[in-house]
């Protein structure tokens, strides 16, 4: 069963995961899988779906997440959407490993962006800023749809 | 002592003969002397002190020549004698008395002088100028009676704040009070009456020498009486303390009632409570909104970021549907099973074409998980679906926006509460609540003291009653044990004389107490009248019952020195009251035939009484001086004139100025610091009056002349 590894760039974001030992007061993500999916989606948006570079380093802890976890948490179709949106072919749906590597690469882009932004926001405002960029993303899409 | 004229002859900074004519005919004769700094304000006070007592603190016989004007001393030839003098014409009843004190010295060399000769006497100008030396000290005594030396610095003070002299129980004033209340004489006569009584007692003892019972009873009577006198003195003191405690208790109660009336503090407390509760609600709302935003961010799964991927995904998924691959009705495993079977699902045998078709199809089929995943995605991409990504995205954005708006409002509420809370806290801090708390505490303490004193007074009264009962019993027994025969008549006479002596002692004692009490009451009344209305901070003047010295009471606390002018005003009010009471007391005593010497209205020379005083108190002092004493001479420096001009100018009966004549070089030096010499220019009735001038060529050193201004 393929696994998804959290890229090294996710390290500063771990406290915003409730599972983390030193979770922040404004931790947003229930599980590391949630954080991963969010970061991957963010990375996808940052690159407008263009193919990212594969990350070089991954975190040893938390350990890689089995793809079944994503499937069980109803996150798999998000990953599929990322894969299909990026590859624009159905082939990615036939190769879970490739899908996993692709999504890891997007997660790395997303984590890098969020970690970088975190430096300019104060940690206490992290959830607010994420909310702000989510709204912006939703509105952006509305504009596109119009 | 009212001064009609003060004349100075070659004395200190005043050359030649100069006069200060002072009005005396009005009820209030205020004279204002505009005297810039260093022009001789203090010299006037020094001249008066020299005239009154013949000495000055920094001047003895050897150095007294320095009192003679510098110019005169400079111009004198070696071997010649020069003099300076101070003279005052005093108003006494309908007559006038002119007294002059002269200092005469012989020049022995440059800056070398023989010990000065100082003379004092009465001066008569008509028909020709004659000086009658005060060889028997009559006039000196008169002066000292009118202005005791201890009080001089209070009546004629120079510059420094007065409170230092009065507040804090300075001995000189207390001694002076004791002297003019003649405390020593009262004590003396009381002691004398007691001695007379004791002499009669001794005679009684001698008379009943052999009557042991009588002698023992007489001794017992003395013993009990001694106790009674002691206990009564104690009782008097306790009663005074009790009276003070009751007065203080009543005053504190009154103040508490005043504070309670129309008090807004309670309303402020309610407002503060409401605001703090609003602030707490806002804080909770903001925290809740924060938590909700965090939760929404997490549960969004980043879907809004993926909306741009949807059109492509839809397309791919539609193609899969087209090819009958999605939904996964036919899976890869199914195709394998079909191909493994001898016939197709339709019942015909497999041929190569069918196999090829099945294999082609198989290549496109998806795993079960993938099929499920794509089916879920397909659902999520259908906008009509309630859980579609586009709906979820819009929902998340809306909910986050709502939460943000709630958070923003809460933070706004929180911030809006800050200023009014701070304001109310400040108001409450300055509000009477704190004062109420302090006064309540004091009230409790004073109440306890009052109750304790009441108990002690009652106890002492009981004890005295008991002792008196015993005394009466002893008296009855004495009556029975009286010697018989001829001795009985003598004993009766001695007993009656002894009773008279005791009565006299009691009368003296009570009169003395009554005098002090009355004096205290009058002084308190007078000082209260002068001070309390002008003190804008609610402080009150208090006269200590025991020391008769003034102090300021604010919020139930006695203050030695409040600063800013309260103490100065109090000190002035006190000395004016004191001088009035002295006069009234002496008049009454004279009417009673107990003449201690005559005391008239007092004149006050005040050098810079507005120094170190705030504007409010400077004006209060000016107002006070303008209408509360028969003769006041105020010397005002340029800086203070601006503060008090509007009060003093219309009230002054006479305006004089000290004109300073100085060297050209000095003038230049002064101009370098103050080009227009404004420190010497007074604004009087809309005109500028300059009180500085270049020295005439004939003069070698600076001097001051007294000039009329209006």
């Amino acid at each position: 069963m393929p696994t998804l590894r959290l890229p090294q760039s996710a390290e500063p974001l771990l406290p915003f995961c409730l599972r983390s030992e030193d979770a922040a007061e404004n931790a947003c993500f229930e599980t590391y899988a949630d954080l991963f999916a969010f970061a991957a989606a963010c990375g996808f948006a940052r690159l407008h779906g263009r193919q990212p570079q594969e990350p070089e380093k991954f975190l040893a802890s938390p350990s890689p997440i089995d793809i079944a976890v994503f499937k069980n948490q109803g996150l798999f179709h998000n990953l599929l959407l990322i894969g299909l949106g990026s590859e624009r072919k159905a082939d990615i749906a036939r190769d879970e490993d490739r899908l996993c590597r692709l999504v890891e690469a997007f997660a790395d882009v997303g984590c890098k962006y969020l970690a970088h932004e975190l430096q300019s926001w104060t940690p206490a405002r992290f959830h607010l800023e994420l909310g702000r960029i989510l709204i912006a993303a939703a509105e952006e899409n509305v504009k596109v749809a119009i | 002592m009212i001064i009609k004229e003060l004349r100075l002859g070659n004395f200190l900074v005043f050359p030649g003969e100069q006069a200060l004519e002072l009005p005396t005919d009005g009820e209030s004769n205020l004279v204002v002397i505009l005297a810039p700094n260093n022009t001789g304000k203090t010299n006037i006070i020094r001249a008066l002190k020299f005239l009154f007592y013949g000495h000055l603190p920094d001047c003895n016989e050897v150095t007294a020549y320095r009192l003679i004007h510098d110019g005169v001393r400079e111009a004198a030839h070696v071997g010649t004698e020069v003099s300076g003098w101070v003279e005052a014409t005093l108003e006494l009843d309908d007559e006038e008395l002119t007294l002059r004190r002269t200092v005469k010295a012989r020049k022995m060399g440059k800056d070398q002088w023989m010990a000065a000769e100082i003379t004092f006497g009465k001066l008569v100008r008509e028909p020709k100028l004659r000086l009658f030396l005060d060889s028997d000290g009559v006039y000196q005594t008169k002066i000292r009676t009118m202005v005791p030396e201890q009080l001089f610095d209070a009546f004629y003070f120079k510059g420094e704040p007065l409170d230092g002299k009065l507040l804090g129980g300075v001995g000189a004033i207390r001694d002076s009070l004791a002297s003019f209340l003649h405390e020593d004489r009262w004590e003396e006569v009381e002691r004398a009456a007691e001695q007379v009584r004791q002499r009669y007692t001794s005679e009684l003892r001698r008379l009943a020498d052999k009557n042991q019972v009588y002698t023992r009873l007489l001794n017992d009577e003395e013993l009990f009486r001694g106790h009674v006198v002691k206990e009564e003195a104690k009782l008097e003191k306790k009663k005074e303390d009790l009276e003070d405690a009751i007065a203080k208790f009543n005053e504190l109660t009154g103040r508490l009632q005043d504070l309670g009336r129309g008090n807004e503090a309670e309303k402020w407390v309610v407002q503060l409570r409401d605001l703090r509760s609003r602030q707490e609600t806002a804080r909770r709302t903001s925290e809740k909104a924060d938590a909700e935003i965090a939760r929404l961010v997490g549960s969004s799964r980043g879907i809004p970021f993926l909306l741009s991927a949807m059109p492509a995904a839809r397309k791919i998924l539609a193609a899969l549907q087209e090819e009958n691959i999605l939904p996964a009705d036919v899976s890869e495993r199914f195709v394998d099973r079909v191909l493994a079977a001898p016939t197709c699902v339709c019942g015909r045998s497999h041929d190569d074409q069918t196999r090829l078709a099945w294999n082609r199809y198989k290549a496109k089929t998806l795993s079960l998980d993938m099929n499920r995943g794509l089916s879920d995605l397909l659902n999520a991409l259908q906008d009509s679906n309630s859980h579609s990504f586009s709906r979820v995205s819009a929902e998340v954005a809306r909910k986050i926006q709502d939460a943000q708006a709630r958070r923003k409002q809460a933070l706004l509420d929180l911030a809006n509460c800050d200023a009014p809370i701070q304001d109310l806290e400040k108001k409450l801090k300055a509000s009477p609540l704190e004062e109420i708390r302090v006064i309540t505490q004091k009230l409790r303490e004073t109440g306890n003291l009052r109750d304790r004193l009441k108990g002690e007074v009652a106890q002492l009264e009981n004890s005295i009653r008991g002792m008196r009962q015993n005394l009466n019993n002893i008296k009855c027994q004495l009556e029975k044990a009286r010697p018989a025969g001829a001795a009985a008549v003598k004993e009766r006479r001695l007993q009656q004389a002894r009773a008279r002596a005791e009565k006299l002692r009691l009368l003296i004692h009570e009169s003395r107490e009554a005098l002090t009490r009355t004096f205290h009451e009058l002084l308190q009344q007078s000082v209260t009248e002068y001070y309390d209305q002008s003190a804008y901070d609610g402080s009150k003047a208090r006269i200590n019952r025991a020391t008769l010295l003034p102090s300021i009471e604010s919020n139930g606390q006695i203050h030695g020195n409040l600063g800013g002018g309260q103490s100065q005003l109090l000190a002035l009010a006190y000395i004016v009251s004191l001088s009035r009471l002295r006069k009234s007391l002496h008049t009454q005593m004279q009417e009673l035939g107990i003449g201690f010497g005559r005391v008239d209205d007092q004149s006050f020379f005040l050098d810079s009484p507005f120094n170190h005083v705030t504007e409010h108190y400077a004006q209060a002092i000016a107002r006070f001086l303008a209408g509360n004493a028969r003769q006041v001479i105020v010397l005002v420096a340029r800086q203070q004139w601006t503060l008090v001009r509007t009060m003093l100018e219309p009230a002054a009966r006479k305006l004089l100025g000290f004109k300073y004549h100085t060297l050209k070089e000095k003038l230049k030096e002064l101009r370098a610091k103050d080009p227009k010499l404004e420190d010497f220019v007074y604004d009087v009735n809309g005109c500028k009056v300059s009180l500085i001038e270049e020295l005439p060529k004939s003069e070698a050193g600076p001097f001051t002349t007294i000039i009329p201004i209006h």
Side-chain angles (χ1 to χ4, degrees):
Chain A
M1 189 72 80
T3 55
L4 289 128
R5 297 159 296 174
L6 277 164
Q8 183 74 43
S9 54
E11 196 171 12
L13 308 175
L14 296 181
F16 296 99
C17 195
L18 288 164
R19 292 279 163 87
S20 164
E21 273 179 18
D22 47 357
E25 261 186 48
N26 55 341
C28 308
F29 307 105
E30 285 261 350
T31 62
Y32 292 117
D34 282 326
L35 168 65
F36 186 93
F38 187 93
C42 181
F44 178 84
R46 295 286 306 157
L47 293 180
H48 300 287
R50 288 191 304 275
Q51 290 280 314
Q53 279 192 340
E54 277 193 31
E56 288 172 5
K57 288 182 180 172
F58 295 92
L59 291 172
S61 171
S63 46
I65 310 162
D66 200 313
I67 195 155
V69 173
F70 288 85
K71 288 176 182 168
N72 291 338
Q73 287 185 17
L75 287 167
F76 186 52
H77 60 303
N78 294 37
L79 306 186
L80 281 172
L81 180 57
I82 291 170
L84 294 177
S86 175
E87 298 254 317
R88 296 179 180 260
K89 281 186 209 160
D91 293 356
I92 190 83
R94 292 192 181 87
D95 188 346
E96 279 192 358
D97 274 329
R98 196 151 67 82
L99 177 67
C100 287
R101 300 296 77 79
L102 180 67
V103 177
E104 277 175 355
F106 276 122
D108 181 46
V109 173
C111 285
K112 277 179 178 153
Y113 168 71
L114 295 174
H116 178 261
E117 292 300 300
L118 183 60
Q119 286 178 347
S120 54
W121 310 328
T122 58
R125 288 194 58 82
F126 188 62
H127 64 299
L128 300 173
E129 298 298 338
L130 293 185
R132 187 181 56 74
I133 59 171
L134 276 176
I135 292 168
E139 281 175 353
E140 185 64 25
N141 190 255
V142 169
K143 275 185 214 158
V144 171
I146 289 165
Chain B
M1 183 169 68
I2 296 294
I3 302 172
K4 285 197 80 171
E5 190 179 37
L6 180 69
R7 296 175 89 86
L8 301 147
N10 291 328
F11 198 80
L12 292 168
V13 294
F14 305 98
E17 194 173 324
Q18 301 200 45
L20 268 173
E21 280 176 35
L22 304 169
T24 58
D25 51 343
E27 273 187 22
S28 169
N29 299 290
L30 174 69
V31 176
V32 177
I33 302 177
L34 307 177
N37 287 333
N38 304 317
T39 57
K41 289 199 298 292
T42 309
N43 283 199
I44 284 284
I45 310 291
R46 280 164 63 79
L48 278 168
K49 195 163 194 174
F50 177 71
L51 170 67
F52 289 175
Y53 313 109
H55 60 83
L56 289 171
D58 55 348
C59 176
N60 56 35
E61 240 180 36
V62 180
T63 58
Y65 72 91
R66 290 183 193 151
L67 297 174
I68 303 165
H69 178 61
D70 290 351
V72 174
R73 280 192 283 126
E74 287 287 316
H77 297 293
V78 175
T80 57
E81 200 175 62
V82 289
S83 65
W85 48 262
V86 190
E87 179 190 306
T89 302
L90 311 174
E91 185 191 275
L92 295 171
D93 289 328
D94 292 330
E95 59 170 325
E96 287 178 4
L97 172 67
T98 303
L99 298 170
R100 178 189 277 194
R101 200 177 295 269
T102 310
V103 53
K104 218 181 270 178
R106 187 179 297 279
K107 192 169 185 174
M108 303 304 293
K110 193 175 184 309
D111 249 359
Q112 286 184 324
W113 295 82
M114 287 280 280
E117 185 194 344
I118 295 169
T119 53
F120 178 61
K122 178 183 166 181
L123 194 82
V124 179
R125 289 187 183 276
E126 299 292 337
K128 60 174 186 174
L129 196 75
R130 285 181 69 191
L131 182 73
F132 298 94
L133 287 181
D134 185 28
S135 44
D136 50 5
V138 173
Y139 299 118
Q140 186 61 75
T141 308
K142 212 177 232 317
I143 290 273
R144 283 188 186 277
T145 306
M146 288 187 286
V147 187
E149 201 171 342
Q150 304 100 311
L151 286 179
F152 180 87
D153 287 343
F155 295 156
Y156 309 90
F157 76 87
K158 41 183 196 301
E160 75 274 31
L162 252 184
D163 50 16
K165 293 182 197 304
L166 294 176
L167 308 178
V170 170
I173 297 287
R174 181 68 198 105
D175 290 350
S176 160
L177 280 170
S179 110
F180 100 77
L181 286 173
H182 304 289
E183 285 180 354
D184 50 345
R185 294 197 198 183
W186 284 105
E187 272 169 27
E188 201 180 300
V189 285
E190 192 181 335
R191 232 181 357 255
E194 173 65 15
Q195 278 166 3
V196 171
R197 206 197 68 88
Q198 277 174 8
R199 217 168 35 241
Y200 288 129
T201 308
S202 305
E203 278 190 44
L204 278 169
R205 267 195 206 107
R206 270 200 301 277
L207 188 71
D209 189 21
K210 287 183 183 146
N211 186 341
Q212 284 183 356
V213 178
Y214 188 87
T215 309
R216 182 180 53 77
L217 286 168
L218 202 60
N219 287 341
D220 285 354
E221 190 196 21
E222 278 304 285
L223 192 72
F224 274 101
R225 185 189 159 274
H227 285 320
V228 168
V229 170
K230 242 187 230 169
E231 293 295 282
E232 276 179 344
K234 229 191 260 178
L235 179 64
E236 248 169 49
K237 175 80 185 59
K238 289 279 175 212
K239 276 183 171 171
E240 269 176 19
D241 292 348
L242 177 60
E243 234 174 82
D244 283 346
I246 290 171
K248 193 168 178 185
F249 186 84
N250 291 340
E251 196 186 314
L252 288 169
T253 309
R255 177 80 185 129
L256 211 51
Q257 281 166 351
D258 284 348
L259 290 171
R261 225 170 278 140
N263 179 17
E264 283 192 309
E266 280 178 34
K267 206 165 73 192
W268 294 338
V269 170
V270 173
Q271 284 174 1
L272 187 64
R273 203 169 45 217
D274 288 350
L275 279 167
R276 282 192 176 139
S277 148
R278 248 175 71 191
Q279 215 178 29
E280 189 50 40
T281 310
R283 190 172 292 120
R284 275 202 303 270
T285 307
S286 143
E287 284 170 4
K288 228 165 142 183
D290 273 332
E292 194 176 341
I293 292 169
R295 188 185 59 75
L296 286 166
V297 165
S299 63
S300 75
R301 301 176 161 191
I303 288 168
F305 297 130
L306 298 175
L307 296 178
S308 63
M310 283 165 58
R314 271 200 200 102
K315 225 173 187 174
I316 296 164
L317 293 179
L320 287 174
Q321 278 179 306
E322 190 77 14
E323 289 178 85
N324 206 18
I325 292 169
L326 191 72
D329 295 336
V330 179
S331 70
E332 191 182 2
R333 280 164 64 193
F334 175 77
V335 175
D336 284 343
R337 275 204 309 276
V338 170
L339 288 174
T343 55
C344 183
V345 284
C346 57
R348 286 180 293 182
S349 303
H350 292 297
D351 56 18
D352 289 345
Q353 208 173 349
T354 328
R355 278 184 194 282
L356 188 66
W358 273 109
N359 276 325
R360 270 197 205 132
Y361 181 76
K362 187 189 162 191
K364 289 179 186 171
T365 53
L366 304 161
S367 69
L368 211 58
D369 278 352
M370 194 58 86
N371 221 311
R372 196 178 297 132
L374 287 173
S375 297
D376 287 349
L377 179 61
L378 194 63
N379 281 333
L381 294 177
Q382 282 168 5
D383 290 346
S384 57
N385 199 321
S386 64
H387 288 4
S388 71
F389 276 177
S390 52
R391 283 200 181 192
V392 167
S393 170
E395 191 75 351
V396 163
R398 187 184 60 74
K399 282 184 176 170
I400 291 176
Q401 274 172 333
D402 284 355
Q404 277 178 339
R406 280 201 304 281
R407 183 178 182 278
K408 194 176 170 186
Q409 186 56 48
L411 291 175
L412 202 68
D413 282 354
L414 209 62
N416 283 345
C417 290
D418 272 352
I421 282 177
Q422 276 175 15
D423 188 39
L424 282 170
E425 280 174 344
K426 209 187 277 173
K427 271 193 201 166
L428 277 169
K429 211 171 177 186
S431 82
L433 274 193
E434 180 58 18
E435 197 183 340
I436 287 172
R437 193 189 62 73
V438 172
I439 291 180
T440 311
Q441 171 69 21
K442 283 194 187 310
L443 199 66
R444 205 169 23 245
E445 287 165 12
T446 316
N448 289 341
L449 176 70
R450 181 199 56 185
D451 295 344
R452 184 168 59 78
L453 286 168
K454 266 185 188 170
E456 286 175 7
V457 164
Q459 209 176 345
L460 274 169
E461 280 173 341
N462 269 341
S463 142
I464 291 169
R465 209 174 299 123
M467 282 191 260
R468 285 206 176 281
Q469 187 64 47
N470 281 340
L471 258 177
N472 284 341
N473 290 342
I474 294 169
K475 273 191 201 323
C476 290
Q477 288 174 36
L478 264 174
E479 194 65 25
K480 286 177 193 161
R482 283 175 56 199
V489 179
K490 198 176 177 189
E491 190 265 355
R492 173 69 62 194
R493 218 178 54 241
L494 282 170
Q495 280 288 16
Q496 282 168 353
R498 197 165 74 123
R500 276 200 302 275
E502 173 68 353
K503 210 170 169 183
L504 180 66
R505 188 195 67 80
L506 275 173
L507 188 68
I508 294 164
H509 181 79
E510 280 164 13
S511 303
R512 179 190 166 191
E513 288 299 314
L515 174 70
T516 312
R517 204 162 35 242
T518 310
F519 191 78
H520 171 259
E521 278 167 16
L522 291 172
L523 201 54
Q524 175 68 70
Q525 207 177 327
S526 177
V527 170
T528 297
E529 184 195 325
Y530 293 143
Y531 178 84
D532 291 9
Q533 283 176 356
S534 299
Y536 62 88
D537 58 354
S539 59
K540 291 184 186 314
R542 285 279 170 274
I543 302 294
N544 185 290
R545 195 187 292 273
T547 64
L548 295 174
L549 288 170
S551 57
I552 295 168
E553 189 176 314
S554 172
N555 296 338
Q557 296 260 52
I558 295 287
H559 298 274
N561 187 352
L562 281 180
Q566 286 102 319
S567 311
Q568 187 82 323
L569 178 65
L570 172 69
L572 285 169
Y574 180 74
I575 57 166
V576 170
S577 303
L578 201 62
S579 68
R580 282 191 176 180
L581 279 175
R582 282 183 74 228
K583 185 191 168 192
S584 141
L585 188 74
H586 279 253
T587 311
Q588 283 176 34
M589 282 185 159
Q590 279 201 324
E591 279 167 11
L592 289 168
I594 321 167
F596 288 131
R598 192 185 159 78
V599 170
D600 278 306
D601 283 326
Q602 181 61 48
S603 75
F604 300 94
F605 270 69
L606 309 172
D607 172 5
S608 311
F610 313 107
N611 275 357
H612 318 293
V613 165
T614 62
E615 193 174 341
H616 169 87
Y617 279 99
Q619 289 177 1
I621 290 168
R623 202 169 29 244
F624 171 78
L625 294 177
N628 283 306
R630 186 155 158 228
Q631 188 175 56
V632 180
I633 293 93
V634 197
L635 295 120
V636 193
R638 164 68 179 72
Q639 293 83 345
Q640 274 79 46
W641 180 241
T642 323
L643 284 181
V644 293
R645 187 174 66 84
T646 50
M647 315 293 300
L648 293 187
E649 208 174 67
R653 292 280 318 273
K654 198 164 196 176
L655 259 167
L656 299 167
F658 278 6
K659 190 157 207 165
Y660 186 52
H661 305 259
T662 189
L663 297 163
K664 199 175 178 179
E665 294 74 45
K666 176 75 179 170
L667 216 55
K668 217 187 229 175
E669 198 182 297
L670 287 169
R671 278 213 177 91
K673 289 181 203 157
D674 175 14
K676 290 185 179 169
L677 296 173
E678 278 177 355
D679 281 350
F680 294 85
V681 178
Y682 285 70
D683 193 357
V684 184
N685 293 325
C687 301
K688 302 274 181 200
V689 177
S690 173
L691 293 174
I692 191 160
E693 207 169 85
E694 197 183 315
L695 211 59
K697 281 187 181 146
S698 54
E699 297 288 339
F703 62 88
T704 297
T705 50
I706 303 167
I707 58 160
I709 289 186
H710 95 99

